[in-house]
Amino acid sequence: MQVIKVEHLYKQYQLGQVSTGTISHDLNRWFHKIRGKEDPYEKITIDNAREEKGNSNYVWALKDVNFEVNQGEVLGIIGRNGAGKSTLLKILSKVTAPTKGNIKIRGRIASLLEVGTGFHPELTGRENIFLNGAILGMTKNEIKSKFDEIVAFSGVDKYIDTPVKRYSSGMYVRLAFAVAAHLEPEILIVDEVLAVGDAEFQKKCLGKMKDVSSQGRTVLFVSHNLVAVKSLCTSGILMERGSVSFSGTADETVERYMKANADQLKPKISYNTPLDAIGNEIIKIKHIEVVPSNPFITDEISINFSFWNFSEDQETNLAFDLIDLHEEVIFGTGFKFKKNGDNLSSASCRIPADLMNDGIYTINLYFNSAEMRPLYQLSNAVSFEVADKERNYAYFGKINGAVRPKLNWESE
Amino acid sequence: MENKNDIWTEIITPRRGWLDINLKEIWRYRDLILLFVRRDFVSVYKQTILGPLWLFIQPIFTTFIFYFVFNRIAKISTEGIDPILFYLSGITLWNYFSDCFLKTSNTFTSNASIFGKVYFPRLTTPISIVISNLIKFIIQLILFGCVVFYQVYFNDVKIQPNLYLLLLPYLVFLMAIMGLGMGILFSALTTKYRDLSFLLAFGIQLLMYATPIIYPLNFTQGKLHTILSYNPISPILENFRFSFFGSGNFDFSGLIYASIFSFLTLIIGIIFFNRVENKFMDTV
């Protein structure tokens, strides 16, 4: 049985400063409307593509989204930032209305878009449970009957009559999630709540999500965390540029998403002759390749370099910085080369297995002479993603740290 | 089966009807309204030493200021009513109206963070404000009663309370829905055009001086009198004073005018509020 049916859903947003020109646009829109014409600003609305700077002030955050969810399904919604996931959830939870199209729903929807909505710092934990519960759509009696359960679940029973402004952020989140977790809706929307709380609490949350789905209720789960999506969801949809680009099982969708991501990366550059190669009059790049091109954290990664060196010197320094998505340098490393007869030099650098954290990395290259005189630099020479492996413990969040070495632990 | 609309419990669509307010839904959220009222009270007076005593201090202070400025210095008549009672009655009633108006006028902008995350009928917020201000008003009305008692017994002030006092709840109700209607109308308009919130501060001050709080309506003459009688709050205030002090006449036509005005304002306010409710997140 279908519980959600999304049909030709569109959502238009205005970019830039909202107030400038609003009156004239509103008047123009109204003038078109009374003459029975189409909205003049709909035609000039551009697709949701962040990379291309359009000349229109309006953008489709969602464009012709269609999908269905059956009862008891745990649907993972994945996609890059700005693909329209949050907009879709906002429309589903009735926070904002669609521009065109409709969504049909069977049953009560509760969303954990952000837990703790409406918590008032001056009120006690007890008062906030009631207030937050009511905001989420529970009646006083419903909350009363579940009160003890909520408090037990949150684990803050000692502080239940203390104003929540005195809570630690962990306690605050636990209490907030506890309220939301006891909503018992037919359809539950979960958005990235796994990012908060400690491992034990995450375990509780995931357990609650599994409970919900095992009782035949439906869960929509939005996350960047592919491992969590793979382990928790039964099916998935992939969103790209405001539309659903793929739907299938959770595994298929994650696979597809990773492939789409990998297509954006360039783990290999290669040129046949020095004439068409990038570089300058001294250094020309022949070949740089990351092997394997889509490594897991458990793989050894080798980066192979090969370049033409037209300098007089016999020795050249090659160094590179490995940079993550936050433009943070993870490490820098270098090597001294001897030139071959045909001006061509090759080398490869091996990054040991179980060292890198999962994430997307790029490489900045630096060529220097033996006296460290700069010869050539190349930013963002190649890029690749190190993927996480499925884990067999309860924590699915990103492991902290620039690197994630596998270290030796011994019990005493 | 699946083409039938009736098997779906809800359909989310771009637009809603003009007067499509779901009273049943608001009723279902009545606990939320009461919890909002409670939150407003608790949060305002927590960490104050005098707490709810501030509810008394404000009208008493204003009354004294009015007494010295307008009675002693400007010598504006109060139609034979004791000036303290005259000003206090005006301030008490006006405060209720202006609180309802001002505090509901930023419903959307001040609740944007909650409204942006969870759905609940948005009207619950302004309704809860009107109710929490009603409690405040009742407390201030009790203060007014005490001052009346004091003036009558200790200062020998003569008053003539009459049967029209029974209309008091209706007068208060009119104030509430007029304030609510104007407030939510403004809140809907200010989501797009913030300029209006600046006008509001001037507007409400102007409206206060156009309301017979510091002078009786009969104090004015000619054109000014005609203009001021179009102020829908004037008859409410004048009738309130008449029922307590018995000076002048009961103004029936004024009351009908105020009633029509209040209900119309509320309906227009709800229409605009409704139009904005499900779209405002895109513009704040």
Side-chain angles (χ1 to χ4, degrees):
Chain A
M1 185 177 69
Q2 287 174 351
V3 288
I4 299 178
K5 190 172 187 181
V6 178
E7 291 175 318
H8 305 292
L9 199 70
Y10 288 78
K11 178 71 186 177
Q12 183 193 51
Y13 275 117
Q14 191 180 354
L15 296 177
Q17 200 70 25
V18 166
S19 64
T20 48
T22 347
I23 289 201
S24 66
H25 281 198
D26 281 357
L27 289 176
N28 196 2
R29 205 174 252 149
W30 175 77
F31 189 57
H32 275 75
K33 201 174 158 192
I34 54 168
R35 289 182 301 165
K37 291 198 175 168
E38 243 183 89
D39 185 343
Y41 297 104
E42 215 155 74
K43 272 178 263 168
I44 58 166
T45 303
I46 55 166
D47 283 5
N48 176 9
R50 288 185 302 161
E51 296 82 3
E52 296 146 31
K53 186 117 179 84
N55 50 4
S56 167
N57 258 336
Y58 293 92
V59 67
W60 288 120
L62 293 179
K63 202 175 181 188
D64 201 13
V65 171
N66 294 283
F67 67 92
E68 285 148 22
V69 187
N70 289 317
Q71 190 178 3
E73 215 175 303
V74 181
L75 179 76
I77 302 174
I78 53 181
R80 292 202 293 158
N81 280 331
K85 297 177 309 241
S86 308
T87 308
L88 179 65
L89 289 200
K90 276 187 175 166
I91 295 174
L92 267 168
S93 53
K94 295 205 287 181
V95 163
T96 188
T99 310
K100 286 195 280 181
N102 62 58
I103 302 176
K104 292 171 181 158
I105 296 165
R106 201 194 314 260
R108 185 157 90 163
I109 286 195
S111 67
L112 306 183
L113 284 199
E114 198 164 307
V115 291
T117 311
F119 261 41
H120 197 288
E122 297 284 353
L123 300 183
T124 66
R126 180 188 306 275
E127 289 165 327
N128 269 313
I129 289 179
F130 279 93
L131 181 63
N132 188 233
I135 286 178
L136 295 172
M138 285 193 261
T139 64
K140 213 172 183 172
N141 286 332
E142 272 180 278
I143 305 167
K144 246 183 213 155
S145 67
K146 293 206 188 92
F147 186 82
D148 293 336
E149 239 179 285
I150 293 173
V151 175
F153 187 83
S154 69
V156 299
D157 32 344
K158 262 195 267 172
Y159 306 94
I160 201 66
D161 288 311
T162 308
V164 295
K165 65 178 175 182
R166 312 228 182 280
Y167 281 28
S168 73
S169 53
M171 282 158 65
Y172 188 93
V173 168
R174 288 212 300 270
L175 183 66
F177 188 85
V179 180
H182 288 81
L183 273 174
E184 305 201 344
E186 281 84 21
I187 302 160
L188 181 71
I189 300 178
V190 184
D191 186 10
E192 298 280 5
V193 281
L194 296 181
V196 297
D198 46 37
E200 189 209 1
F201 186 66
Q202 285 195 5
K203 205 170 162 183
K204 262 186 180 175
C205 300
L206 294 173
K208 190 76 200 175
M209 239 175 91
K210 277 191 180 135
D211 278 0
V212 169
S213 61
S214 67
Q215 287 158 7
R217 285 180 288 173
T218 312
V219 180
L220 267 62
F221 181 55
V222 174
S223 180
H224 286 289
N225 190 325
L226 300 178
V227 177
V229 170
K230 255 181 145 171
S231 343
L232 293 169
C233 300
T234 53
S235 57
I237 59 173
L238 174 62
M239 294 198 65
E240 271 175 301
R241 297 185 169 196
S243 310
V244 175
S245 62
F246 181 79
S247 70
T249 67
D251 287 351
E252 283 167 3
T253 314
V254 168
E255 206 86 340
R256 187 71 176 235
Y257 177 62
M258 283 170 57
K259 199 175 166 298
N261 263 349
D263 289 348
Q264 302 266 338
L265 302 170
K266 42 166 189 174
K268 178 182 178 182
I269 52 173
S270 183
Y271 300 95
N272 288 327
T273 65
L275 285 177
D276 48 36
I278 51 166
N280 57 16
E281 55 278 7
I282 301 170
I283 301 290
K284 291 276 186 191
I285 306 286
K286 183 174 195 296
H287 182 88
I288 304 175
E289 187 180 8
V290 179
V291 181
S293 53
N294 293 307
F296 285 101
I297 50 161
T298 49
D299 290 337
E300 185 189 71
I301 303 160
S302 56
I303 306 173
N304 304 327
F305 302 92
S306 153
F307 57 96
W308 289 283
N309 180 353
F310 300 109
S311 71
E312 320 263 277
D313 304 347
Q314 283 306 303
E315 278 188 344
T316 315
N317 274 311
L318 166 66
F320 70 85
D321 286 344
L322 188 89
I323 293 161
D324 70 5
L325 276 186
H326 311 288
E327 305 281 319
E328 215 75 66
V329 178
I330 305 300
F331 60 74
T333 177
F335 187 66
K336 203 180 269 181
F337 282 79
K338 278 234 157 58
K339 199 152 81 165
N340 293 347
D342 50 355
N343 288 333
L344 202 65
S345 307
S346 309
S348 81
C349 174
R350 288 205 180 82
I351 303 169
D354 292 313
L355 172 67
M356 308 277 286
N357 207 337
D358 58 304
I360 291 172
Y361 298 94
T362 64
I363 282 176
N364 289 358
L365 275 183
Y366 306 93
F367 290 91
N368 296 302
S369 69
E371 309 86 56
M372 294 311 284
R373 189 163 37 85
L375 300 174
Y376 177 59
Q377 297 190 1
L378 180 62
S379 296
N380 194 7
V382 287
S383 53
F384 60 101
E385 179 171 12
V386 181
D388 203 357
K389 272 279 195 197
E390 254 168 275
R391 293 180 219 165
N392 53 6
Y393 46 96
Y395 181 74
F396 294 104
K398 169 121 178 152
I399 308 279
N400 290 335
V403 291
R404 189 170 143 189
K406 192 172 187 179
L407 301 174
N408 285 323
W409 284 68
E410 270 170 49
S411 58
E412 284 165 18
Chain B
M1 257 298 267
E2 281 176 3
N3 292 329
K4 272 194 211 156
N5 277 346
D6 49 312
I7 56 162
W8 303 98
T9 52
E10 186 163 20
I11 297 176
I12 298 172
T13 53
R15 277 172 223 292
R16 282 194 278 166
W18 282 98
L19 250 177
D20 192 8
I21 56 164
N22 200 335
L23 285 177
K24 224 193 233 164
E25 199 184 23
I26 293 175
W27 177 245
R28 199 162 66 72
Y29 276 85
R30 62 192 181 279
D31 288 336
L32 178 62
I33 296 178
L34 296 178
L35 284 162
F36 274 147
V37 170
R38 196 184 137 74
R39 177 196 66 182
D40 290 348
F41 260 89
V42 173
S43 59
V44 167
Y45 296 111
K46 266 200 181 161
Q47 291 206 358
T48 60
I49 298 169
L50 296 178
L53 230 74
W54 283 108
L55 287 179
F56 294 145
I57 295 168
Q58 192 268 338
I60 288 174
F61 240 76
T62 320
T63 302
F64 275 110
I65 292 167
F66 282 6
Y67 177 68
F68 283 109
V69 175
F70 298 109
N71 193 265
R72 282 303 170 88
I73 299 171
K75 304 233 187 286
I76 297 171
S77 126
T78 53
E79 270 190 325
I81 302 169
D82 175 60
I84 297 283
L85 296 184
F86 184 88
Y87 297 134
L88 189 58
S89 61
I91 290 163
T92 306
L93 218 58
W94 169 260
N95 273 353
Y96 182 48
F97 168 76
S98 76
D99 280 350
C100 285
F101 186 2
L102 278 177
K103 292 193 175 146
T104 54
S105 71
N106 56 5
T107 302
F108 285 116
T109 38
S110 62
N111 290 295
S113 64
I114 299 187
F115 286 4
K117 283 166 203 150
V118 189
Y119 173 80
F120 51 89
R122 304 312 191 205
L123 266 178
T124 50
T125 320
I127 290 174
S128 74
I129 290 170
V130 170
I131 293 175
S132 60
N133 280 308
L134 182 68
I135 297 170
K136 202 174 132 192
F137 170 74
I138 290 170
I139 294 171
Q140 292 185 341
L141 196 67
I142 292 169
L143 170 75
F144 175 68
C146 294
V147 175
V148 169
F149 182 81
Y150 179 86
Q151 290 290 69
V152 169
Y153 276 83
F154 295 95
N155 289 342
D156 239 1
V157 170
K158 294 274 177 291
I159 59 164
Q160 294 168 301
N162 46 56
L163 266 183
Y164 287 111
L165 262 179
L166 294 176
L167 273 177
L168 181 64
Y170 181 65
L171 296 179
V172 174
F173 175 70
L174 284 186
M175 289 247 140
I177 63 167
M178 202 194 303
L180 175 66
M182 285 173 149
I184 60 177
L185 178 62
F186 259 88
S187 71
L189 296 175
T190 45
T191 56
K192 248 189 176 173
Y193 310 112
R194 294 284 170 87
D195 318 54
L196 286 171
S197 53
F198 295 103
L199 284 178
L200 186 64
F202 296 116
I204 199 119
Q205 213 166 20
L206 188 72
L207 192 61
M208 185 184 121
Y209 287 108
T211 306
I213 295 168
I214 46 178
Y215 54 87
L217 193 57
N218 289 333
F219 182 74
T220 59
Q221 277 153 10
K223 229 183 192 160
L224 188 64
H225 183 86
T226 326
I227 294 170
L228 290 185
S229 3
Y230 279 117
N231 178 355
I233 309 162
S234 305
I236 299 178
L237 198 55
E238 293 272 296
N239 284 336
F240 176 74
R241 283 197 182 123
F242 173 78
S243 61
F244 262 99
F245 311 122
S247 67
N249 297 308
F250 193 85
D251 181 6
F252 258 116
S253 56
L255 188 63
I256 289 165
Y257 167 66
S259 305
I260 294 170
F261 187 93
S262 301
F263 280 101
L264 265 182
T265 314
L266 183 66
I267 289 167
I268 294 169
I270 288 174
I271 288 172
F272 273 80
F273 192 87
N274 239 352
R275 298 301 273 176
V276 168
E277 187 180 272
N278 59 359
K279 278 198 285 278
F280 94 103
M281 268 325 291
D282 311 341
T283 52
V284 284

